[in-house]
Amino acid sequence: MNPRTPGARSRIRTRTRIRARGRGALAALAAALLLGACSQNAVSAPPAPAPSAADPLPATAPTPQGLLLTADFGADTVTFVDPERGAVASVTVGRAPYGLAVGADGRAWVATAEGVAVVDTRTRVRVALIPYRTGPVTEGEYRGGGMGIALSPDGAHAYAGVNVPGTTGVLEVLDTARREVTAVVPVGRRPFDVDVSRDRAEVYVTGHDSFDVTVVAADSLSPRRIEVAPYGTGGGLGYWLKPHYAVVRPSDGKLLLPFEGERLAVVDPRTGRTGIEPMTADTHQHGAALTPDGRLLVVGTGAVRPGDGKGPSLTVRSPDGAERVHPLQGPHEDVAVSRDGRTAYVTGGHTRDGYWNGITVVDLDSGATRRLAAGSRPLGIAVL
């Protein structure tokens, strides 16, 4: 193949990148084994602007539809955010909240370090904090406790991925009516994300540090591991090229996991087979979401090392594979989509250093962006 073609250049650059990581970096990788990926050499972000403070919501008024809810990893709160004006209210939920999921009944289920908090978003009150069966609760980026969380389509169960420092994680299954943990299932290391199939039959847990997705049968709770490692696993815990977040494609139930703005892993949870499709953003990627019309949104956090990739971005990928890449200012983590599918909301909290306290609002038609100051290191986000 002609090495001057774009495809050849991409493959040559990728092979060179992987070889470079393997040479002369053993000492750095040994140190990184103690920490895991996604913590070093972060891109420093400029501070978020400080728009005028929004008027707080009256304590007795119902929460308007269309507000955003963020999990504030840098505090013990969730924050209600008006997409036009910024933060309007906060509720204390528990230590270092990470992911959240909101049901049709208006209750938010928030994965904190201590347990799953239940928030009535209409009255803005925490109504429960359900402790995990698994510990310990720790501090910092690699803390123990809840990470990804999802609700079953019927709202009967919440599924929380719980990180257990130094070993494999677990999936804790909660009965939402009884508000208690009913089962614990072993899964991969650092469960960044949890997703549920549309038919409620399976739960998918993305294990960041184990290069895998664990498929859990919702009835028997039997787990089945699928390795997802398009770059291989040779770098071990210190490797950067790991899975982070997934989405379930409605058309066929396959899982979409983006890697490095170069490769999209398409995983068939029934067969365990993984196909690879090319991506174009060339940036370390984290959060993902789907629009109502089937477009895939992927958050790019920036180059892992200076000169080794492009800056932060939001990729908008059509079902046919065509992509538009919108630059962002500074690192970001996760993304949610407005009900009409025209606007994306991208959190600036980020799991690495370099985060900022706010949300970038992206017009998906024009690519225009604006920033809102909101929350404290916001990670998870949902549209109410």
Side-chain angles (χ1 to χ4, degrees), residues 193-195 204 206 213 244-248 255-258 286-289:
D193 197 18
V194 178
D195 299 275
Y204 309 118
T206 302
V213 170
H244 292 86
Y245 297 82
V247 297
V248 180
L255 306 178
L256 307 180
L257 295 95
H286 278 209

Side-chain angles (χ1 to χ4, degrees), residues 279-326:
M279 297 188 74
T280 61
D282 189 18
T283 184
H284 193 59
Q285 290 179 320
H286 278 209
L290 285 172
T291 64
D293 62 0
R295 289 174 293 172
L296 174 65
L297 308 183
V298 186
V299 180
T301 70
V304 172
R305 295 178 179 86
D308 189 13
K310 298 178 182 177
S313 63
L314 179 70
T315 291
V316 182
R317 182 184 178 91
S318 299
D320 64 2
E323 293 186 349
R324 297 177 64 190
V325 179
H326 303 303

Side-chain angles (χ1 to χ4, degrees), residues 36-309:
C38 298
S39 64
Q40 303 175 22
N41 301 316
V43 178
S44 179
S52 57
D55 295 331
L57 291 174
T60 57
T63 299
Q65 188 179 65
L67 257 62
L68 312 174
L69 187 68
T70 64
D72 300 328
F73 190 79
D76 57 0
T77 58
V78 291
T79 295
F80 293 80
V81 183
D82 185 301
E84 297 298 328
R85 304 181 300 146
V88 292
S90 293
V91 174
T92 299
V93 291
R95 224 188 305 176
Y98 192 102
L100 56 81
V102 180
D105 60 1
R107 287 183 296 173
W109 299 76
V110 187
T112 80
E114 304 168 68
V116 175
V118 186
V119 176
D120 186 326
T121 64
R122 292 167 180 165
T123 60
R124 300 182 301 286
V125 173
R126 189 188 80 177
V127 296
L129 180 62
I130 305 164
Y132 305 117
R133 290 186 184 176
T134 310
V137 176
T138 57
E139 301 287 347
E141 178 182 350
Y142 299 94
R143 63 145 179 78
M147 298 184 71
I149 190 168
L151 286 169
S152 60
D154 62 0
H157 294 92
Y159 301 97
V162 178
N163 181 42
V164 184
T167 186
T168 53
V170 298
L171 180 73
E172 300 218 2
V173 182
L174 289 81
D175 183 303
T176 57
R178 291 155 53 188
R179 294 181 185 170
E180 65 179 23
V181 176
T182 58
V184 177
V185 182
V187 295
R189 299 175 71 106
R190 287 191 79 204
F192 255 65
D193 197 18
V194 178
D195 299 275
V196 182
S197 64
R198 292 169 67 91
D199 62 5
R200 300 178 294 175
E202 294 179 329
V203 182
Y204 309 118
V205 185
T206 302
H208 177 270
D209 285 358
S210 48
F211 301 89
D212 59 23
V213 170
T214 301
V215 180
V216 179
D219 51 3
S220 67
L221 298 181
S222 58
R224 175 169 51 91
R225 179 180 183 269
I226 300 175
E227 182 175 287
V228 186
Y231 292 90
T233 63
L237 286 179
Y239 210 29
W240 293 98
L241 309 182
K242 300 177 181 178
H244 292 86
Y245 297 82
V247 297
V248 180
R249 187 161 63 189
S251 61
D252 57 9
K254 292 182 179 180
L255 306 178
L256 307 180
L257 295 95
F259 286 78
E260 302 302 304
E262 293 181 332
R263 303 178 184 185
L264 180 68
V266 182
V267 180
D268 187 334
R270 302 169 197 78
T271 65
R273 295 175 181 169
T274 299
I276 303 297
E277 299 177 6
M279 297 188 74
T280 61
D282 189 18
T283 184
H284 193 59
Q285 290 179 320
H286 278 209
L290 285 172
T291 64
D293 62 0
R295 289 174 293 172
L296 174 65
L297 308 183
V298 186
V299 180
T301 70
V304 172
R305 295 178 179 86
D308 189 13

